[in-house]
Amino acid sequence: RVTVTYPDAAAPSLRDVDLQIDEGELCLVAGTTGAGKSTLLRCINGLVPHFTGGRLAGRVTVDGRDTREHRPRDLADVVGYVGQDPLAGFVTDTVEDELAYGMESLGVAPAVMRRRVEETLDLLGLVDVRDRPLLDLSAGQQQRVAIGAVLTVQPRVLVLDEPTSALDPPAAEDVLAVLTRLVHDLGLTVVVAEHRLERVVQYADRLLLVDGQRVTAGDPADLLAEAPVAPPVVELGRLLGWSPLPLSIREARRRASRVKQRLSPAPQPAPQPAGPVVAWASKLWVSHRDVPALRGVDFAIRGGEIVALMGRNGAGKTTLLSALAGLLRPDTGRAGCSGRVVLVPHQPGDLLWAQTVAQECRAADRDAGVPAGSTRELLTELEPGIADEAHPNDLSEGQRLSLALAVMLAGGGPLIALDEPTRGLDYAAKHRLVRIVRRLAANGRAVLLATHDVELVAQLADRVVLLADGDVVTDGPARDVVLGSPAFAPQVAKVMAPLPLLTVADVAAARSAGEPAAVGEAPA
């Protein structure tokens, strides 16, 4: 019967939660942005209420320890916690030091520490960056270091808040494979909150659905049948009337074998003519501490285009955005823009400074020279329900990102550069962001997205530029690039191959154009 109420809050964030998680379970926590997922996770290691403040009614025990009597430091050997912002949890300067820090604090023998560090470097693919400063790593590399720093302590419970949000698809699969192996082989208990359910749901033993202050636990397929959030493969199952709903690509492909015969994909509309070039790079080389991040990149984007930058973590996506915005000086070559660059970094909190949401919105209106209320209106469209008096630091990661997006998008400028713009956003918020970005592009602004979110790219992008090791390896129409890439293809494309369908909306249109299809068909 756990109820959590934060200071000055009008209502509890969680109410009367009854829950038991067994040893060796992988529990997926899902829900809309701001529903209380992070609050639930923080109850497990005592951050609520010892760090966050407020009132916790009821009782939480972990391995027999009551969190009312044991502060987070007293649970460090039992619960490993990785929050949404890896940088906020780092306490050292380099990768290897960070992996060792938790063990040093617990007095682990040096020989054991050395062995565990080496095992974790191999496990998470961090060997090549072991001596690198943490601040020089890409967001995805930082995420893996944060997970590794917790794993070296070998806790019994691992709590992860959005652990794959900054990882490219192959890296996310690698991390999830590691977690699954630890659950199956070592009996580690894993509780993970994710908005990108398509990455995790097929591995989950149980789903914890946070909705309206309540937490419902159950079988993932059963709960997702009516849940307000669902991955594309589940949405596809809903559309086609499948029961039980598929949770994996393999399940859905087996169900889709007969359905595909009755689909008639609509011809793709001719691309709209783009405007003049608004940003460019020519033979651009940029290095970080003498390590090349971009190697002779040639790139251009025109007004009205929506271009997705994709590639592995550390491929150079953020560096290219920063160079176009004038934040980095090229080693050689040139980069520029015909006007102001609106840049939203992958750490949106860097843009927020005021004490309330209302103050942020009013300041953005003044800075952009737009009518009063414009930023607040855009924020409400993107993420309804955020209170004016709320402090930006008290918002969830997704709500804080929505505020940063509204603050920056309210202003002018020919180029909008967004670095991981869906991190922390639920599916409904992503759909609203897609609508806003399309509107901006229709008004002639160029939009450049650096993202690992293949589902966003499938919905939104006109063109995909694929970077690898600082070089452009592919530059072409989004549909052609993602359909030809096993790593970056969206779920629907994998299920419906070889049909050129990327989204559930594409399938619905193809179904309407073809013969009426019976639903719920068994596989051939």
Side-chain angles (χ1 to χ4, degrees), residues 5-41:
T5 306
Y6 287 119
D8 302 322
S13 295
L14 296 175
R15 187 190 300 272
D16 292 331
V17 176
D18 286 306
L19 180 64
Q20 179 172 312
I21 298 173
D22 294 330
E23 183 180 17
E25 269 197 310
L26 197 161
C27 289
L28 172 60
V29 181
T32 56
T33 300
K37 301 183 296 299
S38 295
T39 297
L40 178 63
L41 298 187

Side-chain angles (χ1 to χ4, degrees), residues 278-281 284 294 297 299-310 316-325 335-337 341-345 405 409 413-421 433 437 440-441 445-451 456-457 460-467 472 475:
V278 298
W280 60 90
L284 180 65
L294 295 177
V297 167
F299 170 81
I301 183 171
R302 295 176 176 272
E305 273 194 305
I306 302 174
V307 178
L309 285 178
M310 305 187 76
K317 302 182 296 296
T318 298
T319 300
L320 181 54
L321 292 187
S322 300
L324 293 172
C337 182
V341 178
V342 176
L343 174 63
V344 179
L405 287 168
L409 296 181
L415 176 64
I416 299 169
L418 308 177
D419 199 352
E420 290 294 345
L433 177 63
V437 169
L440 293 169
R445 301 174 75 178
V447 181
L448 184 58
L449 314 163
T451 184
L456 174 74
V457 173
L460 185 59
D462 303 316
R463 180 175 139 219
V464 168
V465 175
L466 186 63
L467 293 174
V472 175
D475 185 348

Side-chain angles (χ1 to χ4, degrees), residues 60-305:
V60 180
T61 59
V62 184
D63 197 28
R65 304 182 195 180
D66 192 323
T67 61
R68 291 175 300 186
E69 302 165 3
H70 295 78
R71 300 177 70 84
R73 63 172 176 264
D74 303 322
L75 298 167
D77 61 323
V78 179
V79 183
Y81 180 87
V82 181
Q84 292 178 340
D85 180 5
L87 281 174
F90 290 154
V91 292
T92 67
D93 296 325
T94 65
V95 171
E96 195 165 356
D97 287 346
E98 188 65 26
L99 294 181
Y101 178 79
M103 294 184 290
E104 289 178 338
S105 302
L106 294 174
V108 175
V112 176
M113 289 171 51
R114 177 64 186 273
R115 173 175 54 81
R116 290 186 188 175
V117 167
E118 293 299 326
E119 290 172 349
T120 304
L121 288 169
D122 289 332
L123 199 63
L124 296 176
L126 295 169
V127 175
D128 292 341
V129 297
R130 65 186 304 157
D131 298 320
R132 291 270 297 276
L134 294 169
L135 294 178
D136 287 356
L137 301 180
S138 72
Q141 291 167 329
Q142 291 171 350
Q143 192 89 339
R144 279 184 279 170
V145 173
I147 294 171
V150 168
L151 288 179
T152 55
V153 179
Q154 296 188 347
R156 299 194 63 187
V157 182
L158 183 58
V159 178
L160 304 164
D161 201 353
E162 299 275 346
T164 73
S165 61
L167 300 181
D168 60 67
E173 291 177 5
D174 290 344
V175 168
L176 292 170
V178 169
L179 296 178
T180 304
R181 188 159 69 246
L182 293 171
V183 169
H184 292 173
D185 296 347
L186 301 180
L188 183 69
T189 301
V190 175
V191 184
V192 53
E194 263 291 351
H195 279 300
R196 297 182 189 177
L197 302 183
E198 63 271 13
R199 291 182 165 182
V200 189
V201 68
Q202 65 266 34
Y203 305 114
D205 298 308
R206 239 184 341 155
L207 180 66
L208 309 181
L209 183 62
V210 185
D211 187 17
Q213 304 175 341
R214 306 287 182 177
V215 179
T216 305
D219 179 77
D222 293 342
L223 291 185
L224 287 175
E226 301 293 337
V229 293
V233 71
V234 171
E235 291 283 4
L236 181 65
R238 289 175 176 178
L239 172 71
L240 299 175
W242 291 338
S243 182
L245 290 169
L247 300 181
S248 68
I249 300 297
R250 184 167 183 256
E251 289 178 62
R253 281 185 65 87
R254 296 179 63 193
R255 301 275 190 89
S257 56
R258 289 184 181 176
V259 174
K260 287 190 284 188
Q261 299 172 16
R262 296 180 172 90
L263 298 179
S264 178
Q268 294 304 307
Q272 296 295 317
V277 171
V278 298
W280 60 90
S282 176
K283 296 180 174 53
L284 180 65
W285 284 76
V286 178
S287 299
H288 299 300
R289 297 179 187 267
D290 298 326
V291 177
L294 295 177
R295 304 169 183 266
V297 167
D298 291 310
F299 170 81
I301 183 171
R302 295 176 176 272
E305 273 194 305

